[in-house]
Every structure is written in structure tokens, then in C-alpha cells.
Amino acid sequence: MRNEDLDPQRSGPEFARAMIEDLRWLGIRWSEGPDCGGPYGPYSQSERRAHYLEAWRRLRRGGFLYPCTCSRKDLALAASAPNDADDEPVYPGTCRERKDAAEFTEPAGVNWRFRVPEGDVVEFADLNLGRQRYVAGSDFGDFLIWRRDDVPAYQLAVVVDDAAMRITEIVRGADLLKSTARQRLLMRALGYTDLRYAELRYAELGHAAPDYFHCELVRDAAGARLAKRHDALSIRHLREKGLTAEKVLEMAGWP
Ligand SMILES: [Zn+2]
């Protein structure tokens, strides 16, 4: 159980407590986590900053990162409309070759982007959805690694934690397929999949990389994907309405 609580606006101990309580009520158990410890802790991302900083430094030294000062407005003006369900338009590369990059020696105060290898093909076999193929630079562009407000971005945090925690199977929603391609590039840049890499991470487990299983999203009666704002369908709400854990799991298509 990993508590992904990096965003200070959307996290807090009361949310973590409620999440753990709801999952336990559903009958889900775990052997490592913020409530019970384990060999790869801490298990709350807000306590793992040193790991992300170390990865940021390594990526910066390797020339994989650059500071980006584009405003939201700049990006909106430059962007063509996003062509599918995936979040962000391709970054136009405005800050890629900036001359003053060396002056930024700490992550805070500016956005940091990962320089994707243009034209590189990222392929992986998803255990549910089959072979996936993305082209860096056209399917997705230089993505955020560290935010201006000094919060490590999701892509960096999960890659660092998955490796540090020896995660070998990743199950998540199909809305993150393209992010998996981004994360594969990040894993490669950090050396997590390189057999020659001194800290041998996946290699020592006999895996070249984790396996992936992307699930179709759970949707409401009108076909819209569920989100945190659908409070009427939260586990907590269903439980308070008197539904049993078995019924909730059945509604979610649990086998
Ligand atoms: Zn920029």
C-alpha cells in the first residue's frame, strides 16, 4: 500500500486514514504500507523526497532535463488541440535549448521537463490490452518531472518508487497507457532497466522491467468515467448507505 500524497492541495492525514479504513472494510489486505511498515519504506510519498531529489540530480547530470518557464498561457497558445483522451498536448519545445539552463541548480521555482528522445519507439506488451506502441515526440512530448511549486511530478515519483520498492506488476487504469510509455523512457534514463547498471534493480529480480495490466475504467450509468468528484459513488458513501462490501465489489465487476 503506497500513499501517493505529494500534492499538498489534495492530500492530508485525514484522507490517508479514510482511504485505509475504506480499503480494509472492502476486505483488501496488504503486507507493506504506511500503517504497517515494511522493508522498502517509508510508504507515503510525502516522506520520500530524498529519493526523488536524487533521481532529479541524476537526470539533470545526464542531460535529460531542462528548466521550463513557459506559462500556462504560452502553452495554450502553442498547442494544437489534444487528439485523444490523454491529458496533455505535445510540448512545443520552446525551452529545450535555453542557454541559461546551467544557472538552475535546484529544482524549486521552475518547471522541469524530461527531454524525450524524438522518434524513439516505445513498445510494451500489456497483459490485458496487448501490444502497445508509442512514438516519443509525436504521441507525447517533453513531460513534467518537477513542478514549479517544488512538488515532484507523478511520472518521476512512481518510477522511482516502483524501482525502490521492487514492484514487478503494475495494474492500473487504461487512461495511463501513454504514461506507461513516458515512464519506460524515464526508467531507461535512470538506468533501472540497464543490466550493466551498478544498482541493478529489475535485473536482479530477473525482470527487464515490470509487467503491466491496464484495466478498462469503471464508469457511471451514463458512461462517464468515475472521478473523485463523484462523491455519490465513493466507497465511503456506499458503505454509509448500508451496502455490503461484497455488493460493492460485485458492482465494480470484481470476479
Ligand atoms: Zn518552456
Side-chain angles (χ1 to χ4, degrees):
M1 151 67 83
R2 187 162 77 212
N3 179 22
E4 304 200 336
D5 60 345
L6 279 176
D7 193 330
Q9 251 109 64
R10 294 191 292 174
S11 313
E14 66 281 16
F15 294 122
R17 262 197 308 276
M19 170 177 67
I20 286 173
E21 207 182 291
D22 289 346
L23 290 174
R24 288 216 179 276
W25 173 78
L26 267 184
I28 294 173
R29 301 284 178 262
W30 49 89
S31 51
E32 299 171 40
D35 57 334
C36 56
Y40 304 115
Y43 292 91
S44 285
Q45 290 189 324
S46 58
E47 297 167 32
R48 300 182 58 78
R49 183 179 166 88
H51 296 264
Y52 311 136
L53 258 183
E54 197 264 328
W56 176 84
R57 294 209 177 93
R58 197 185 319 160
L59 290 168
R60 180 169 172 271
R61 268 200 310 273
F64 294 105
L65 301 186
Y66 60 87
C68 170
T69 50
C70 298
S71 66
R72 276 177 204 278
K73 201 171 148 223
D74 295 335
L75 297 178
L77 286 174
S80 50
N83 50 6
D84 60 33
D86 185 72
D87 42 38
E88 55 187 68
V90 172
Y91 176 68
T94 321
C95 297
R96 255 193 167 212
E97 308 303 334
R98 54 190 302 154
K99 300 278 183 287
D100 60 348
E103 293 165 24
F104 297 83
T105 52
E106 289 301 322
V110 68
N111 286 318
W112 288 83
R113 291 185 182 276
F114 181 81
R115 189 190 303 275
V116 303
E118 300 237 15
D120 268 25
V121 174
V122 183
E123 277 183 297
F124 59 92
D126 186 78
L127 294 176
N128 185 35
L129 301 174
R131 186 146 287 280
Q132 305 294 314
R133 184 178 192 276
Y134 295 98
V135 180
S138 50
D139 286 325
F140 57 90
D142 294 350
F143 53 90
L144 278 186
I145 283 294
W146 206 284
R147 288 172 14 187
R148 195 195 318 256
D149 58 357
D150 203 21
V151 175
Y154 159 77
Q155 311 287 1
L156 180 70
V158 294
V159 164
V160 168
D161 288 345
D162 287 344
M165 295 174 179
R166 310 295 197 268
I167 303 298
T168 54
E169 290 175 312
I170 296 175
V171 180
R172 59 188 176 195
D175 53 331
L176 287 166
L177 270 171
K178 202 183 277 187
S179 274
T180 295
R182 295 182 177 103
Q183 290 167 25
R184 295 294 292 252
L185 292 176
L186 207 40
M187 290 172 64
R188 194 170 80 189
L190 284 163
Y192 293 162
T193 56
D194 185 343
L195 293 172
R196 293 160 304 171
Y197 187 64
E199 284 178 50
L200 297 181
R201 290 177 190 264
Y202 289 109
E204 84 194 11
L205 298 163
H207 288 246
D211 289 327
Y212 298 92
F213 187 110
H214 287 83
C215 316
E216 286 82 4
L217 301 179
V218 180
R219 292 173 189 280
D220 69 11
R225 54 179 288 193
L226 292 190
K228 290 195 186 88
R229 65 183 176 276
H230 293 83
D231 188 52
L233 290 166
S234 72
I235 295 173
R236 180 60 57 109
H237 185 91
L238 297 173
R239 177 181 156 191
E240 282 164 357
K241 259 174 57 183
L243 270 74
T244 62
E246 291 70 29
K247 181 67 189 168
V248 172
L249 291 174
E250 188 194 308
M251 285 162 60
W254 196 277

